[in-house]
Amino acid sequence: MENMKFERTILITGGAGFIGSHVVRLFVNKYPCCRIVNLDKLTYAGNLANLKDVENSPNYRFIKADICDFDTVCALMREMKVDGVIHLAAESHVDRSIRDPFTFARTNVLGTLSLLQAARQYWESLPERFEGKMFYHISTDEVYGALEFDGSLFTEDTKYDPHSPYSASKASSDHFVRAFHDTYGMPVIVTNCSNNYGPYQFPEKLIPLFINNIVHRRPLPVYGKGENVRDWLFVEDHARAIDLIFHRGKAAQTYNIGGFNEWKNIDLVRLLIRTTDSLLGRPEGADDDLVTFVTDRAGHDLRYAIDSTKLSSELGWRPSLQFEEGMEKTVKWYLDNAAWLDNVTSGDYMKYYEEMYEGR
Ligand code: NAD
Ligand code: DAU
């Protein structure tokens, strides 16, 4: 690969994680003329098995590094001649942020700043400076806070109002990204996306956690009364949106990405049980009693819902799947990939699980 000539080099951070692995796969396969460099620290959430099918592609390169390691990131920018950054690396689980906010501030805030500064210094050293360059930051709808049950939606103009240490750290990183545009003229894009689901998601998040628990007939810990609402998007639709926006989005813009697909947690959980039981050949209703209402998450946002009209009207993006179809595809993937699930739930996983849910 070192001797090959590539038209561009795109650095994707967090590419061994859930969404990142779908983005890396899409870019490696779709853009053979581009070198795709995946920088990932391989925390508990990062897993190179997510990228087995592309690991030997001539245009793919993996670098194990921490985005907070400024010198390493600077050297990488120069050595790889990075033209574009798609930044997904983050601590991403709200419950973990409640227990350990410092790690979230370090990775999500300082890590993003380290990448921004490294990209700026490298690009400013080139004759063309920012021409043809892009720093694309992947953020979340959680920065907007919580909605009531009143049909309102988050738009790109909704005021930031984060409630968890996770969303506060993401909000802070979004502000740094925009500040680098306003202060230094760096071309940046921020997107704020709703809840993703699909293959390769670490089983700490609702859907893969509950699929795994149904398989093993463990209780399904529904927070509070299960009335909170999330807007679910199939992960490959998010990856497609990222591709479109990275190539055709306008610098200094924000785009919301969402599925117009709101589900109350308890209704989603009932659908998940039905789908999983049916694929496992268990009789209808066999696992209904696994539902266990537990103490609510602290500061639990009531409702998220995204208005992605700007993205669809300006760039023509639309979600491709109906939720029931996406859910069936997802459950089937986890059942067909039991070895993947067993692997990521070995090691410290059960310790994490017991600590997180014990006495709840
Ligand atoms: P994830 O937790 O599955 O993966 C995160 C990846 O980042 C892992 O591979 C991990 O090893 C890596 N990483 C963590 N700290 C790092 C560090 N210091 N240096 C380098 N790599 C590091 O996360 P995800 O769910 O795929 O989310 C990806 C991005 O998308 C995050 O920025 C998240 O805030 C955002 N997002 C997620 C969702 C969602 O529903 N999952 C929705 C909207 C936005
Ligand atoms: O909205 C985008 C965000 O979606 C992303 O930015 C985050 O990275 C991602 O983790 C996700 O955050 P949520 O907190 O919404 O996802 P989670 O899967 O943790 O929870 C979904 C809903 O289910 C939420 O209302 C809490 C509830 N829940 C979750 C777990 C893990 C339960 O009731 N029980 C559980 O055990």
Side-chain angles (χ1 to χ4, degrees):
M1 166 158 155
E2 299 319 327
N3 299 327
M4 289 177 71
K5 284 261 175 284
F6 292 103
E7 285 171 15
R8 292 181 86 195
T9 297
I10 301 166
L11 174 65
I12 300 180
T13 70
F18 166 48
I19 302 171
S21 61
H22 290 273
V23 177
V24 167
R25 178 175 299 100
L26 177 66
F27 275 65
V28 167
N29 290 329
K30 190 168 171 187
Y31 301 108
C33 53
C34 290
R35 173 161 61 180
I36 307 302
V37 180
N38 170 16
L39 182 159
D40 198 296
K41 185 182 173 184
L42 298 184
T43 67
Y44 77 92
N47 184 356
L48 289 178
N50 297 1
L51 289 165
K52 266 257 155 283
D53 52 332
V54 294
E55 68 183 7
N56 294 319
S57 303
N59 63 334
Y60 173 67
R61 173 88 185 262
F62 172 69
I63 311 265
K64 184 174 188 301
D66 185 336
I67 53 169
C68 299
D69 181 350
F70 181 63
D71 292 342
T72 299
V73 178
C74 286
L76 179 73
M77 293 276 173
R78 276 194 314 272
E79 280 160 26
M80 295 279 164
K81 299 185 170 44
V82 170
D83 301 291
V85 177
I86 304 179
H87 173 38
L88 297 109
E91 289 292 336
S92 68
H93 191 39
V94 174
D95 292 321
R96 286 186 194 254
S97 82
I98 294 168
R99 297 160 71 99
D100 175 19
F102 277 113
T103 301
F104 283 68
R106 180 185 180 276
T107 293
N108 298 359
V109 185
L110 295 179
T112 301
L113 181 56
S114 156
L115 273 176
L116 281 165
Q117 181 76 343
R120 178 174 84 84
Q121 285 186 359
Y122 170 56
W123 291 340
E124 283 183 340
S125 74
L126 302 173
E128 74 273 21
R129 286 175 56 88
F130 295 134
E131 186 69 42
K133 307 292 186 278
M134 179 55 74
F135 189 104
Y136 178 176
H137 175 62
I138 309 299
S139 190
T140 169
D141 60 359
E142 299 203 11
V143 297
Y144 297 126
L147 298 166
E148 296 295 327
F149 293 127
D150 57 3
S152 57
L153 301 171
F154 297 133
T155 73
E156 287 80 1
D157 297 323
T158 302
K159 198 164 85 44
Y160 274 30
D161 183 22
H163 297 141
S164 72
Y166 164 68
S167 52
S169 68
K170 291 297 290 187
S172 171
S173 64
D174 294 8
H175 291 318
F176 270 108
V177 174
R178 295 188 180 109
F180 266 61
H181 170 266
D182 296 349
T183 307
Y184 308 109
M186 193 154 120
V188 304
I189 287 181
V190 177
T191 55
N192 299 85
C193 187
S194 63
N195 287 62
N196 284 217
Y197 71 99
Y200 299 112
Q201 188 169 32
F202 191 79
E204 60 186 352
K205 309 283 167 57
L206 181 75
I207 290 180
L209 173 74
F210 279 27
I211 295 171
N212 192 39
N213 282 12
I214 296 168
V215 169
H216 295 286
R217 292 214 146 106
R218 276 201 289 267
L220 306 177
V222 176
Y223 297 162
K225 294 183 180 145
E227 282 177 344
N228 303 68
V229 168
R230 297 291 182 265
D231 176 356
W232 293 93
L233 179 68
F234 191 61
V235 62
E236 289 176 11
D237 283 334
H238 188 188
R240 267 195 314 109
I242 290 172
D243 176 23
L244 193 61
I245 294 164
F246 180 71
H247 289 100
R248 295 197 19 229
K250 290 200 196 96
Q253 291 287 312
T254 296
Y255 298 88
N256 279 354
I257 310 173
F260 287 110
N261 178 41
E262 291 181 50
W263 282 75
K264 201 183 264 199
N265 287 344
I266 189 63
D267 296 335
L268 184 156
V269 170
R270 300 269 179 231
L271 171 67
L272 198 53
I273 297 172
R274 260 202 323 279
T275 310
T276 309
D277 278 348
S278 146
L279 287 168
L280 285 171
R282 293 180 187 168
E284 204 178 321
D287 289 320
D288 288 356
D289 60 357
L290 292 180
V291 170
T292 309
F293 293 97
V294 300
T295 311
D296 209 351
R297 174 185 279 174
H300 196 174
D301 286 332
L302 186 63
R303 176 175 162 256
Y304 302 144
I306 277 274
D307 182 350
S308 52
T309 307
K310 175 176 172 182
L311 177 58
S312 54
S313 59
E314 287 187 14
L315 299 180
W317 174 90
R318 295 220 172 3
S320 69
L321 283 181
Q322 290 299 310
F323 191 53
E324 283 81 353
E325 191 189 347
M327 191 69 117
E328 178 155 342
K329 207 169 154 172
T330 299
V331 175
K332 195 166 175 330
W333 186 87
Y334 285 96
L335 299 182
D336 290 347
N337 290 273
W340 182 91
L341 207 46
D342 286 348
N343 185 257
V344 298
T345 54
S346 63
D348 286 341
Y349 178 82
M350 281 317 289
K351 190 164 161 270
Y352 155 82
Y353 183 81
E354 278 154 21
E355 278 173 19
M356 191 62 83
Y357 292 99
E358 200 179 7
R360 215 161 164 156

